[in-house]
DNA sequence: CTTGGAAAGTCAACAAGGCTGACATAAACT
DNA sequence: AGTTTATGTCAGCCTTGTTGACTTTCCAAG
């Protein structure tokens, strides 16, 4: 699977990276097909709760940064506040998310997952992690390192900031 | 949870693939942020033509397989025929796609890009390839190989079939 | 203390692009 | 002749994105 150094494709040349349009097209399609698989498991689960991908994203990033503000979430998700608000309102009404008024700045709302919210987050992320873990296992550690390097380069610089802001175990 | 097979990929350095939930979460977020960047350039271009991502996908796969049938496209894109039809109808009416009745089986429609269609496809794919090329260059050839390996493992088996059906230069 | 402006929420309207269900047509297959 | 297949189309619904206008709250600068 991984014979580093013995070029299996024209792209693993030493210094020059000659990339044909066809090779790049392959990478583009890989992203397309993989993203479909990546979201498939959570999407299936969300149907049972009458939620969508937008709810998943909100729950994920609230879990990652408990107490985050609405504004911060808007920045990360890259949607309008009206769009996020609709999703957030549903989650709050259903008792999955709690919105607390800020102590220093009382205009801000700090978002937290309730017990129920944490349960849903766990169900979703376990499904998604399961697929990633299997993919990582089959591809091997070196492939995983490359995977993350390339993904990071594909991001917009601003998104890369958001991504790097949360290193492992921070 | 951690009962992977006894080291099937023992590679120098890390022999075992220990994956914490946090490391997996990082990979998940990398996919999320990268996909946003991945679609950003074409999305911007498509606005000028009043088209959306759905049109881009159709145009891409018709370009890849000129003469493909509607059914085949449905299979690859994973949407309903009503959804695809709406997009296809617009592209045909606007003169970007041509639909020819099949010769052997006259029920089938074979899809081709017109001159105009190829121009749009070129504009879109050049933008997308530009980003991929830059990312590949910055990450290096070994990272690229790993990138593609992991993406392929993330796909659903059926999607992997579609992906592998078109090797380089075929 | 007053006021400007930022943060947040709300309402209305709209569009893209998914979905289901029903139905039509032509061609191919049995 | 009857059934299945490939495609197209109409109608209607949902999610999730958008813009624009407006209000409330409240910090901070004048």
């Amino acid at each position: 699977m991984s014979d580093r150094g013995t070029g299996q494709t024209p792209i693993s040349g030493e210094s020059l990276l000659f990339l044909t349009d066809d090779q790049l097209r392959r990478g583009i399609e890989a992203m397309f097909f993989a993203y479909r698989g990546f979201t498939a498991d959570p999407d299936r689960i969300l149907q049972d709760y009458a939620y969508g991908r937008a709810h998943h994203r909100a729950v994920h990033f609230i879990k990652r940064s408990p107490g985050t503000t609405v504004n911060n979430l808007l920045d990360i998700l890259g949607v309008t506040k009206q769009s996020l608000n609709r999703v957030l309102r549903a989650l709050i009404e259903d008792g999955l998310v709690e919105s607390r008024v800020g102590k220093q700045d009382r205009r801000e709302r700090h978002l937290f997952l309730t017990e129920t919210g944490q349960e849903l987050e766990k169900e979703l992320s376990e499904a998604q992690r399961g697929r990633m873990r299997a993919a990582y296992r089959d591809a091997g550690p070196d492939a995983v390192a490359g995977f993350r390097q390339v993904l990071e380069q594909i991001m917009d610089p601003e998104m890369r900031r958001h991504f790097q802001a949360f290193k492992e175990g921070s």
Side-chain angles (χ1 to χ4, degrees), chain A:
Chain A
M1 185 83 71
S2 53
D3 246 18
R4 323 187 19 148
T6 74
Q8 48 183 5
T9 69
I11 40 176
S12 43
E14 284 298 325
S15 51
L16 261 186
L17 199 48
F18 188 72
L19 295 164
T20 66
D21 284 359
D22 235 42
Q23 287 169 329
L24 292 164
R25 195 211 66 210
R26 290 274 295 171
I28 287 168
E29 292 186 3
M31 276 295 281
F32 171 69
F33 288 127
Y35 197 77
R36 286 256 296 280
F38 171 70
T39 56
D41 305 316
D43 282 355
R44 247 188 307 275
I45 293 168
L46 287 158
Q47 284 190 328
D48 301 338
Y49 296 87
Y51 287 140
R53 233 177 255 184
H55 302 83
H56 181 191
R57 291 198 279 265
V59 163
H60 173 97
F61 284 104
I62 294 172
K63 153 80 181 191
R64 185 183 80 161
S65 316
T68 186
T69 63
V70 173
N71 242 4
N72 185 38
L73 213 47
L74 284 175
D75 215 26
I76 288 176
L77 296 177
V79 297
T80 58
K81 63 175 178 173
Q82 294 89 335
S83 203
L84 176 58
N85 194 257
R86 181 180 3 191
V87 164
L88 236 34
R89 202 189 317 153
L91 290 171
I92 291 169
E93 277 174 9
D94 296 350
L96 301 191
V97 167
E98 195 192 337
S99 166
R100 299 186 205 150
V101 173
K103 287 184 176 171
Q104 291 101 336
D105 188 336
R106 295 181 49 194
R107 292 167 300 181
E108 292 179 344
R109 303 298 137 93
H110 298 274
L111 304 168
F112 300 87
L113 293 184
T114 64
E115 277 294 319
T116 323
Q118 297 196 28
E119 281 169 26
L120 175 61
E121 194 282 333
K122 196 179 170 199
E123 189 180 351
L124 292 170
S125 64
E126 273 179 358
Q128 204 161 33
R129 277 198 302 269
R131 186 183 288 248
M132 294 297 281
R133 191 179 287 113
Y136 280 8
R137 174 174 24 77
D138 292 349
D142 293 335
V144 170
F147 168 71
R148 295 233 303 232
Q149 276 173 44
V150 174
L151 285 187
E152 198 162 332
Q153 293 305 319
I154 292 174
M155 295 176 200
D156 273 346
E158 204 195 340
M159 289 300 106
R160 200 174 306 136
R161 262 200 318 104
H162 286 303
F163 178 68
Q164 292 171 337
F166 284 80
K167 296 289 184 193
E168 250 97 0
S170 75

